[in-house]
Amino acid sequence: MTGGAFAAQTSGERAAKLREWLLTDPSQEDLQLVFKEISTRDKGAAKVLREKLDELKRAHGQDALATEWAERAQAMLSAARLNIADAMAWQRDAAKAGAPLSREPLAGLKLQLNEKIKAVEDLQHQVMVQRETAVLLAQRIEVLSTKTLKEADAANELLLSDVANWQQQAHALTEDAAWQSVDLKFPPQLDASKQQLLGVWEAFEGALLQAKAAKDDASQPLPSVPVWAEELRVARGGQASPAQQAESNEGRAVQAEADGPAANTQDVNQGDAKSAKAPKVSNTKMDPAQRQALREAANQVVTGALAVLAAETNEANLESLRQTLKEHGRNMDTAMDLQVHEALVAAGDTAGWQRHVADQSRLALVLKAEALFKKVPVAAEGEEEKFVLEPTVGGRKMQDNLRQLREEWKKADQGGLPNHALWKRFDTACNNAYKVVQTWLEKIKLEATEHRTQRLALIDEVKVWGEANAQNSDWRAHLRALHQFGDRWRNAGHLNEKAFAELQPLWKQALHAAAAPLEAAQKASTERRQALIAEAEQLGAAPVLRVDAVKALQQTWQAEAQSVPMDRRIEQKMWEAFRKPIDEAFSRKTNSREQQTSAPLSAHDRLVLDASNALKAANASGDVQKIKAAMAALDAALKGQAKAEDHAKEVSVATAPSAQAEPVEVVQSEEAVATSEAPADEANATEHVADAADTAQVPEAPAPVQAPKPARPLVAMRGDDRPGQKKSVPAPAGRGGPGDRRDGKPGARFDKGGFGDKAGGRFDRGDRPDREDRGPRLSDAAFRAQRDAKEHAEMALRKLAAQAHGESLTNLLAAWEKRQSDLVPTAQDLGRNVNTAARTAWAQAVSQAPKASAGEAILRLEMAAEVPTPAEHLNERRALQLQLLTRKNQPGPAETWGLDVTAVLSSSHDAQVARRLQNALKNLLRS
């Protein structure tokens, strides 16, 4: 099914076969089955399948996420009202969840949501534009009320068309399909702008019609617009009295104050132009009694209008209150501002009373300005408690806050009458804040001067250092010093942009001059490394790879790299270019070695392969005895014992005693040589084969003739006539030699011999055991087969041992719970740490009736196993540890844990104690 992946000899071939098989798009069940089989044999090749399975798992998870988030998007798109916040959060949350937003259907749904969000936002923007347009139209109408009647009549037709167009556009916005999805605050705002504009327009139309009628008929009343009324009065031949002129000017001033500063200025200027012939009004200060009378009269009129509006809330009463405020709002008491504001808001006027709103804004700014400081009490004996103002923020933040507060005060001061009390508080707080800002600015200026001086001194230091180290050859120290100079420049403090732009070119010039020798050395090193790269390419392209030349070239590269440091990125690129041809040459050599693995296997290799296959079969069976027997057989095959036995049998039945045995040929491959076998193994294998050949040549020899050992070469030795140093003269008794002990006990302290002592030195191999015969050298296939078989066998033995240990422990706990001694595992199943006597004691404890609780015994077991004790029993364990410290001659918990287990099994069964016993025995039985 996999195209021969399981029959491949190397891991690379198996991985290649599996990649070819994956191109056929196998099912997930087949992938799971093949991965389960191949993972126990070759984890490297199984990595290919694991990546494919993970990819399928991710794809499946992404499909589920795509379905889920697509349903959410469809629900939002199909809803009557789209919440922009939810739509924008859908894309963010989907990306966090890992949904594939770049694939369909999520890509199309994301595009639809973005288009709908854009449509809703455009619609909301158009609502804001319409509101501004309504305000501009109302201002145009108010400005026309300050013009002459002729000018107002001429602009009436154009203004009528503009108001009609505005109404049409506002109605088109409400008919848009996305109107239901706009924010809930925009429809009321558009309605309020519409009502305000229509109210102003209707009042303007009514006043204009009344002015035209009064112009045509002298019996008609004058319009409410002061400019038009004055114009008509003059046209009729009358002249306004000074009191009337003053009242008219005061009315226009109140109206201008309510409508805005621009209208106020134009109204007063127009009124003054029309009444140029009237006498001037005196600007003397008003009498306090007269001012109080005006205030009380204004309060009474406004209170009456408020009562009418509270009795019946409609547009007429609201307009009457507005008109009353225009006429008497200037003289009204400020205590009524809140009452008037609440009445206007309750009646539907979102703007409210402008003077009250302006005062609230100013009060908020005053509180913000005063919050820049905190009052710290100053202790003073015998005096009243005093406070000192301390800033709550630093100088820069104080400067930013002060600038922002002043700008906001200017904006709030444009919409109403000035409030001198609030202004005094605000100005005091701002002055205190400016003192802090001024102190901070002086400090910053002083620090900037110091930083500039430090940087100039650093530039001079770099210049002096560069001149002194121009002939330096320690380039690493040179580069380290340059880096230190750079760190000092970066940490030299803050400068303003102008000063930094002035000093930065000087610093770069000085640093470049100091780094010039290093740059020249790096340039020369680059040329030398390029030459080494070219030489490496020549060595790599040679038909025979010269390892000694490669090593010499690499040593030259290392010496060059250690002498001249370079930029890490450039050095890495050059190193990769240097090692690329060498790696390719070694790869070709490795491939040629792998191609030679197709040589016929020797008898010894076939024997090892058969034993490895037998061990694999034993691993699959799961029988411990079979696995151990197969492992022993494999070890014997590796040492060549089985082959020697078979060869001895063949020799014993040979009919021709004088027949000459064929020489034994040892097949070795370059890949086997590459498995890091020592040369001594080859010598052992050769000696083993030579011995077998000699046995075949002389089958009836009674005993093998041992070759005489070669005589040890004579080595010149320094003569030493000290006692005990000559080999022929024994050392005298007593404390005479340098190796004798002071206490007179036998044995010398220096019993290992000296450095050059041939008889008993540390290089003497006579006392070492003979090296174990590891058998002939294996081929690559046989070596890998026996290695994999041994690894899987050891893994299987560990797994079976863990399973047996867990089953034994479970059976022991079950025997305790059921009080049945026949369920207690055998001593062999419990492991080597439990003898027969302990197992018998446990069985007797289980078979008897339960006794006292196992409080102290379970604690001793946990101490012996070194496992944690539950929190509720920690105090008991600490108390027991203190008691054990006083029992010096008694055995510890680690020595009596078998008896403690007997005590626990003798007690009544408890689920919590059983869990604690299980945790303790896990370590005790396994150790």
Side-chain angles (χ1 to χ4, degrees):
M1 181 175 62
T2 58
F6 289 92
Q9 295 182 357
T10 63
S11 177
E13 293 179 358
R14 282 189 287 270
K17 295 289 185 182
L18 290 176
R19 290 190 183 94
E20 294 177 359
W21 177 60
L22 290 177
L23 295 177
T24 61
D25 294 333
S27 62
Q28 190 170 3
E29 292 77 8
D30 294 342
L31 283 174
Q32 293 283 358
L33 180 61
V34 174
F35 174 74
K36 184 177 180 182
E37 293 294 333
I38 201 69
S39 60
T40 58
R41 303 183 182 184
D42 190 350
K43 294 184 178 179
K47 185 179 179 181
V48 179
L49 298 179
R50 187 186 300 110
E51 293 175 354
K52 183 64 176 179
L53 290 173
D54 294 342
E55 182 181 356
L56 293 176
K57 185 177 180 181
R58 286 194 300 269
H60 181 69
Q62 286 189 349
D63 292 341
L65 288 173
T67 304
E68 177 184 358
W69 289 98
E71 292 177 357
R72 295 185 182 182
Q74 290 288 356
M76 284 189 290
L77 289 173
S78 59
R81 184 178 183 276
L82 176 66
N83 192 347
I84 296 181
D86 294 342
M88 297 177 69
W90 175 87
Q91 183 175 353
R92 182 187 67 249
D93 296 341
K96 286 184 179 179
L101 294 176
S102 59
R103 298 186 316 184
E104 295 295 339
L106 295 184
L109 293 174
K110 182 178 71 173
L111 183 60
Q112 295 179 18
L113 284 175
N114 290 336
E115 292 178 354
K116 196 163 185 179
I117 291 173
K118 183 179 179 182
V120 174
E121 290 179 347
D122 292 343
L123 195 59
Q124 293 178 166
H125 179 68
Q126 293 178 11
V127 171
M128 298 174 64
V129 172
Q130 288 297 110
R131 289 183 60 201
E132 295 295 332
T133 306
V135 172
L136 294 177
L137 288 175
Q139 291 180 357
R140 285 177 58 189
I141 294 173
E142 292 173 358
V143 169
L144 284 178
S145 64
T146 62
K147 302 294 183 180
T148 61
L149 183 60
K150 182 178 180 181
E151 294 177 355
D153 189 15
N156 183 32
E157 184 176 358
L158 181 59
L159 190 60
L160 177 61
S161 63
D162 292 342
V163 172
N165 291 334
W166 186 93
Q167 293 179 353
Q168 183 179 1
Q169 293 174 2
H171 181 70
L173 292 179
T174 58
E175 296 296 330
D176 194 282
W179 179 252
Q180 298 295 332
S181 301
V182 298
D183 197 352
L184 297 178
K185 67 180 180 180
F186 288 101
Q189 292 178 357
L190 184 62
D191 294 339
S193 299
K194 183 178 180 180
Q195 294 177 4
Q196 183 179 4
L197 178 61
L198 292 180
V200 174
W201 171 249
E202 290 175 358
F204 177 77
E205 282 287 328
L208 185 59
L209 293 176
Q210 185 178 2
K212 290 181 179 180
K215 182 179 180 181
D216 297 336
D217 188 358
S219 62
Q220 295 293 331
L222 296 177
S224 59
V225 180
V227 176
W228 298 347
E230 187 67 23
E231 181 181 357
L232 292 175
R233 188 180 295 108
V234 173
R236 291 177 181 179
Q239 185 175 359
S241 63
Q244 292 178 351
Q245 182 67 28
E247 182 180 357
S248 177
N249 290 337
E250 183 178 357
R252 284 195 297 271
V254 171
Q255 181 180 359
E257 182 181 335
D259 295 342
N264 187 11
T265 305
Q266 295 177 1
D267 190 6
V268 173
N269 294 337
Q270 187 69 23
D272 293 341
K274 292 296 181 181
S275 58
K277 298 180 180 181
K280 295 183 179 180
V281 181
S282 176
N283 292 328
T284 58
K285 189 175 181 180
M286 186 179 296
D287 184 55
Q290 185 180 0
R291 185 181 297 278
Q292 182 65 24
L294 290 176
R295 182 178 293 109
E296 292 177 356
N299 292 343
Q300 184 177 2
V301 175
V302 173
T303 303
L306 289 174
V308 174
L309 181 62
E312 184 178 0
T313 303
N314 52 29
E315 189 66 26
N317 293 337
L318 179 60
E319 186 63 28
S320 176
L321 178 60
R322 290 173 180 168
Q323 188 66 27
T324 302
L325 291 174
K326 288 181 181 180
E327 296 176 358
H328 304 281
R330 183 173 186 176
N331 298 324
M332 186 183 68
D333 192 0
T334 55
M336 297 183 61
D337 289 347
L338 179 60
Q339 182 181 358
V340 173
H341 176 73
E342 293 177 352
L344 290 174
V345 173
D349 190 353
T350 56
W353 179 228
Q354 189 175 5
R355 188 171 70 181
H356 175 74
V357 174
D359 288 344
Q360 293 298 319
S361 301
R362 292 167 182 160
L363 181 61
L365 294 176
V366 169
L367 295 178
K368 286 183 180 180
E370 292 177 347
L372 295 176
F373 294 88
K374 62 179 180 180
K375 293 182 178 181
V376 179
V378 178
E381 297 180 358
E383 298 180 0
E384 296 182 357
E385 188 176 6
K386 297 182 180 180
F387 295 92
V388 177
L389 296 179
E390 290 188 359
T392 58
V393 294
R396 181 175 295 278
K397 277 194 173 183
M398 185 73 75
Q399 185 183 28
D400 296 339
N401 292 335
L402 183 60
R403 184 182 296 112
Q404 184 179 2
L405 288 173
R406 290 189 181 278
E407 292 296 332
E408 292 180 359
W409 184 273
K410 290 180 181 179
K411 294 180 181 178
D413 208 17
Q414 294 177 358
L417 293 175
N419 193 321
H420 298 287
L422 293 179
W423 166 249
K424 186 176 182 181
R425 289 175 57 187
F426 180 77
D427 187 56
T428 303
C430 289
N431 290 336
N432 294 333
Y434 183 73
K435 294 178 182 178
V436 177
V437 174
Q438 192 173 9
T439 304
W440 172 73
L441 289 175
E442 293 176 356
K443 180 181 177 182
I444 290 296
K445 186 176 180 180
L446 181 61
E447 291 179 354
T449 305
E450 295 178 356
H451 295 163
R452 178 183 175 85
T453 305
Q454 292 177 4
R455 290 179 182 268
L456 289 174
L458 182 59
I459 292 174
D460 296 337
E461 183 180 354
V462 171
K463 291 180 179 179
V464 173
W465 182 87
E467 294 175 357
N469 294 271
Q471 304 299 328
N472 184 22
S473 59
D474 189 359
W475 302 119
R476 289 191 174 275
H478 198 97
L479 181 61
R480 192 181 306 112
L482 291 176
H483 287 168
Q484 292 175 358
F485 282 128
D487 295 337
R488 290 173 58 185
W489 176 263
R490 284 189 293 271
N491 299 327
H494 177 73
L495 287 178
N496 55 35
E497 295 182 0
K498 182 179 179 180
F500 186 78
E502 180 184 354
L503 295 181
Q504 184 68 8
L506 300 177
W507 164 254
K508 288 185 176 181
Q509 182 180 359
L511 191 64
H512 181 71
L518 177 61
E519 294 176 355
Q522 289 177 346
K523 184 177 180 181
S525 177
T526 302
E527 296 176 356
R528 291 193 295 269
R529 296 188 193 193
Q530 293 292 346
L532 293 177
I533 292 174
E535 188 175 353
E537 292 176 353
Q538 293 179 1
L539 287 177
V544 178
L545 181 62
R546 296 172 52 195
V547 180
D548 55 346
V550 171
K551 290 183 178 180
L553 193 63
Q554 290 177 346
Q555 292 175 359
T556 306
W557 181 278
Q558 291 177 0
E560 183 66 27
Q562 292 174 1
S563 61
V564 182
M566 299 182 65
D567 184 72
R568 184 176 298 274
R569 292 178 294 131
I570 299 176
E571 189 171 11
Q572 183 65 25
K573 289 181 180 180
M574 297 180 68
W575 166 248
E576 292 175 357
F578 172 75
R579 62 177 294 183
K580 181 179 178 181
I582 299 177
D583 291 344
E584 292 177 353
F586 277 105
S587 299
R588 292 195 299 270
K589 186 176 180 180
T590 303
N591 294 333
S592 63
R593 286 180 177 178
E594 292 179 353
Q595 292 175 0
Q596 296 177 3
T597 56
S598 59
L601 298 176
S602 64
H604 180 65
D605 292 340
R606 287 194 295 271
L607 186 63
V608 173
L609 285 176
D610 294 340
S612 301
N613 294 331
L615 182 55
K616 290 180 181 179
N619 294 337
S621 65
D623 190 350
V624 178
Q625 301 298 332
K626 291 183 180 180
I627 294 175
K628 290 183 178 181
M631 289 182 68
L634 179 58
D635 291 337
L638 287 173
K639 296 177 182 179
Q641 297 176 2
K643 181 178 180 181
E645 294 176 0
D646 296 343
H647 190 70
K649 292 180 181 179
E650 293 176 1
V651 171
S652 63
V653 300
T655 57
S658 61
Q660 296 182 356
E662 298 180 357
V664 181
E665 183 178 356
V666 180
V667 181
Q668 297 180 353
S669 63
E670 290 187 17
E671 186 65 27
V673 176
T675 57
S676 301
E677 293 289 345
D681 298 339
E682 297 181 2
N684 294 336
T686 307
E687 291 175 5
H688 181 78
V689 176
D691 293 342
D694 294 341
T695 305
Q697 291 177 2
V698 189
E700 297 180 358
V705 179
Q706 297 182 355
K709 295 183 178 180
R712 180 176 295 179
L714 181 61
V715 180
M717 300 176 60
R718 185 178 71 87
D720 196 345
D721 55 354
R722 290 178 296 173
Q725 299 303 317
K726 291 185 178 181
K727 300 295 187 289
S728 60
V729 180
R735 182 173 174 267
D740 292 342
R741 298 170 59 93
R742 292 186 178 182
D743 53 3
K745 294 183 180 180
R749 290 180 295 173
F750 307 99
D751 54 355
K752 293 186 179 181
F755 180 82
D757 191 359
K758 299 296 182 179
R762 59 176 177 175
F763 297 103
D764 186 12
R765 300 181 179 269
D767 56 346
R768 295 186 181 180
D770 295 337
R771 179 178 294 178
E772 182 182 0
D773 187 9
R774 291 181 290 183
R777 187 180 297 276
L778 299 175
S779 64
D780 181 67
F783 174 77
R784 293 180 183 275
Q786 63 87 20
R787 183 187 62 184
D788 295 343
K790 280 188 175 182
E791 290 179 355
H792 288 83
E794 292 173 357
M795 188 184 303
L797 288 177
R798 287 195 298 268
K799 184 177 180 181
L800 292 173
Q803 292 177 356
H805 175 73
E807 292 176 0
S808 301
L809 191 55
T810 304
N811 294 335
L812 179 61
L813 296 177
W816 178 32
E817 182 180 3
K818 299 179 181 179
R819 315 299 299 185
Q820 296 180 5
S821 59
D822 54 345
L823 296 179
V824 178
T826 63
Q828 183 180 1
D829 294 338
L830 290 173
R832 55 187 174 85
N833 293 333
V834 180
N835 52 24
T836 307
R839 190 264 175 193
T840 304
W842 293 358
Q844 292 178 359
V846 168
S847 61
Q848 296 176 0
K851 298 180 181 179
S853 62
E856 183 176 347
I858 191 64
L859 291 175
R860 291 175 63 90
L861 282 174
E862 290 174 344
M863 293 166 61
E866 297 182 356
V867 296
T869 302
E872 59 269 17
H873 300 288
L874 278 178
N875 294 331
E876 300 176 5
R877 177 169 176 173
R878 292 168 182 167
L880 180 59
Q881 288 175 344
L882 294 176
Q883 295 177 8
L884 292 178
L885 291 176
T886 61
R887 305 173 186 175
K888 297 182 179 180
N889 298 326
Q890 294 185 3
E895 301 174 1
T896 62
W897 66 270
L899 299 177
D900 295 331
V901 174
T902 305
V904 173
L905 296 179
S906 300
S907 63
S908 59
H909 182 270
D910 186 7
Q912 184 179 5
V913 177
R915 286 193 297 270
R916 296 170 63 185
L917 177 62
Q918 183 179 7
N919 294 332
L921 289 179
K922 280 182 181 178
N923 294 343
L924 293 174
L925 295 180
R926 189 181 303 167
S927 61

